[in-house]
Amino acid sequence: MQSRTFILQARIEAEELEIWCAEGWLLPRETEAGRDFSDVDLARAHFIRDLRNLGVNREGIPIVLDLVDQLHGLRRVTRDLMEAVKALREERPSK
């Protein structure tokens, strides 16, 4: 989605969007038409807005985002590991 639509759906100001992108909190895809925001970007923007509403300051936001990113990464690794274990069990004949 384009920036204008994103701003409306995220319920943030254009200036906030610029700051969040400059800080690296949001990483939209750059296209010839401008920034292209995904549904993941929108969910992340809602999360950032919620953190701000809860009183998390500007220095705390990247820490929380990093921890959440690590958690998602660990979940992905765990899911891949579980799939590999399942595949090995299916390959090995039962005794």
Side-chain angles (χ1 to χ4, degrees), residues 3-94:
S3 295
R4 189 78 198 130
T5 303
F6 185 84
I7 288 167
L8 292 172
Q9 289 189 14
R11 290 179 263 137
I12 61 173
E13 299 293 326
E15 295 78 26
E16 268 185 306
L17 178 61
E18 293 304 317
I19 291 168
W20 294 2
C21 289
E23 293 287 337
W25 300 351
L26 296 173
L27 301 171
R29 213 167 35 100
E30 297 290 336
T31 67
E32 290 180 15
R35 293 180 181 147
D36 182 34
F37 292 90
S38 68
D39 289 340
V40 172
D41 293 318
L42 185 59
R44 193 169 175 99
H46 287 154
F47 183 56
I48 293 167
R49 195 188 66 229
D50 290 346
L51 290 171
R52 297 292 303 238
N53 290 339
L54 289 170
V56 178
N57 64 20
R58 190 171 174 160
E59 292 78 25
I61 299 283
I63 295 168
V64 173
L65 292 175
D66 185 55
L67 290 170
V68 169
D69 290 343
Q70 287 181 43
L71 177 63
H72 285 292
L74 288 171
R75 288 177 68 194
R76 191 172 20 261
V77 168
T78 301
R79 185 176 47 246
D80 292 347
L81 181 60
M82 294 303 293
E83 288 174 7
V85 168
K86 181 181 176 185
L88 282 174
R89 284 184 179 159
E90 290 171 354
E91 286 179 11
R92 192 167 37 143
S94 301

